[in-house]
Amino acid sequence: MRELKDRYIRFDWAIKRLLRQKANFGVLEGFLTVFLGEPITIVELLESEGNQLSEDDKFNRVDIKARNSKGEIIIIEVQNTRELYYLERVLYGVAKAITEHIQLGNSYSEVKKVYSISILYFDLGVGSDYLYHGQNQFIGVHTGDHLQIRAKEQNAIVTRLPAEIFPEYILVRVNEFDKVAVTPLDEWMRYLKDGVIAADTTAPGLGEAREKLRYYSMTDKERHAYDEHLNAVMIQNDVLNTAKMEGRMEGRMEGRMEGRAEGLEEGERKERLKNARSMKELGVSSDIIKQVTGLSEEEIAGL
């Protein structure tokens, strides 16, 4: 019975439904503190720009967009399924976040630093680590020194490194984690991958998560929607793994890199539509179908 009592909600669901509530900021602040390596206090959650100026414009799809006590912007996205140009999307999301918070006529000193955290439940690239960090730095080609920028602020000369201004990117490859949970980072990775939180955890945010993200603390209606989401994710991942293998086989047969990429992309597209149609016939809500497949409301309505 203890195992049932201590079942915890997956982070991708919690971040969309529960962690947006101010009462649960402690969980989110603990997560950010561990993954960014410094104490983080969330001042407010922000809305990401959703209006398109034209049909060719892109949405800035992020799960959480927050402002910390330093005025910096933090965006978090959980991605369950493979996306061919995911890094390009991450770059776009950061650029959009910067431009959303500076208005025409403002000084460039108003540009805010952005932290982008991607929690990935699919294989992105080839690498042996489960956590990757990227940051802009300017290093002397011949001297190896780090460029420092000086600016006058409030009648004082302030020296900054470009890293204090340019965005930081963190990629969390959940499926690659296979360590024993020893450090706070390990404990968070264990929760992200397996939904396990130790009873004696001291990792920032996980103590609050034990109290606020219990599966059996949800209402019957909420549990039903959550279970439906998990089933849809499992189905989608199975379908996309099959499409991925088929795409590779087709690419090998054609003997061309273009064939592999295009075959995979087209295969995934067809399978997403097929899977969405199946979920729709089973009565899965359009909102969950949209989250899992990445299809638009118009595409889902037209199935």
Side-chain angles (χ1 to χ4, degrees):
M1 186 67 177
R2 178 177 176 80
E3 182 180 350
L4 294 177
K5 182 181 177 183
D6 289 346
R7 181 180 173 187
Y8 299 101
I9 302 163
R10 268 175 55 120
F11 195 69
D12 62 332
W13 180 267
I15 207 171
K16 288 177 168 58
R17 302 296 182 98
L18 301 175
L19 300 186
R20 303 185 67 84
Q21 302 167 11
K22 193 167 186 178
N24 296 335
F25 277 10
V27 178
L28 204 53
E29 289 172 345
F31 166 81
L32 293 171
T33 293
V34 168
F35 280 85
L36 294 180
E38 61 177 297
I40 299 294
T41 300
I42 295 175
V43 176
E44 61 177 331
L45 294 189
L46 305 166
E47 291 301 322
S48 181
E49 183 177 305
N51 295 324
Q52 294 170 299
L53 297 179
S54 76
E55 62 180 13
D56 294 326
D57 283 347
K58 298 293 185 184
F59 287 102
N60 188 9
R61 298 185 300 175
V62 297
D63 294 318
I64 289 286
K65 183 179 178 186
R67 190 196 309 272
N68 66 13
S69 56
K70 298 180 182 178
E72 299 165 327
I73 307 299
I74 301 170
I75 55 180
I76 307 171
E77 182 174 355
V78 181
Q79 182 78 1
N80 280 305
T81 55
R82 184 181 183 278
E83 185 163 326
L84 199 58
Y85 299 106
Y86 186 76
L87 289 182
E88 288 84 347
R89 196 175 107 195
V90 168
L91 177 61
Y92 175 83
V94 168
K96 195 74 169 177
I98 293 171
T99 57
E100 283 174 0
H101 294 278
I102 185 169
Q103 298 178 351
L104 187 65
N106 283 2
S107 166
Y108 286 117
S109 63
E110 299 298 316
V111 169
K112 303 300 181 184
K113 179 170 180 173
V114 175
Y115 295 88
S116 171
I117 303 176
S118 298
I119 303 169
L120 309 175
Y121 286 88
F122 68 98
D123 296 331
L124 177 70
V126 178
S128 57
D129 208 329
Y130 60 86
L131 187 65
Y132 285 86
H133 175 255
Q135 189 174 31
N136 293 75
Q137 299 183 58
F138 294 89
I139 302 174
V141 175
H142 302 100
T143 61
D145 68 312
H146 289 251
L147 180 67
Q148 299 183 45
I149 307 298
R150 292 186 175 182
K152 188 175 182 181
E153 293 184 4
Q154 298 179 349
N155 297 319
I157 300 298
V158 177
T159 301
R160 283 198 185 97
L161 290 170
E164 298 176 72
I165 302 168
F166 281 82
E168 292 188 37
Y169 303 87
I170 295 176
L171 302 177
V172 185
R173 303 166 79 228
V174 177
N175 294 340
E176 299 302 316
F177 178 75
D178 60 359
K179 297 172 60 179
V180 175
V182 177
T183 67
L185 176 59
D186 294 338
E187 290 191 69
W188 263 101
M189 289 301 303
R190 188 183 182 203
Y191 165 57
L192 292 178
K193 184 173 183 178
D194 301 320
V196 175
I197 305 176
D200 59 350
T201 183
T202 58
L206 284 184
E208 291 93 330
R210 277 183 59 84
E211 300 303 318
K212 297 179 179 180
L213 302 184
R214 292 183 187 274
Y215 175 78
Y216 284 98
S217 294
M218 294 191 291
T219 65
D220 290 343
K221 183 178 180 181
E222 288 170 336
R223 283 201 300 271
H224 175 73
Y226 175 69
D227 291 340
E228 190 181 54
H229 168 73
L230 289 187
N231 288 334
V233 168
M234 290 175 63
I235 292 170
Q236 181 69 15
N237 284 337
D238 286 343
V239 167
L240 291 182
N241 284 336
T242 300
K244 184 177 180 180
M245 289 187 291
E246 291 176 350
R248 284 177 175 171
M249 291 176 64
E250 181 179 341
R252 289 193 190 101
M253 290 175 65
E254 293 181 1
R256 297 179 304 174
M257 289 297 294
E258 295 87 351
R260 285 199 293 269
E262 292 174 5
L264 175 58
E265 187 174 14
E266 181 61 24
E268 287 186 1
R269 169 75 179 167
K270 289 180 179 179
E271 290 299 335
R272 287 188 189 206
L273 289 170
K274 179 181 176 182
N275 194 38
R277 189 178 295 108
S278 298
M279 286 190 284
K280 191 173 181 180
E281 290 173 354
L282 292 171
V284 178
S285 69
S286 296
D287 183 50
I288 291 178
I289 295 175
K290 182 179 177 181
Q291 290 178 22
V292 173
T293 65
L295 296 175
S296 67
E297 294 181 3
E298 292 76 13
E299 289 173 315
I300 295 170
L303 293 175

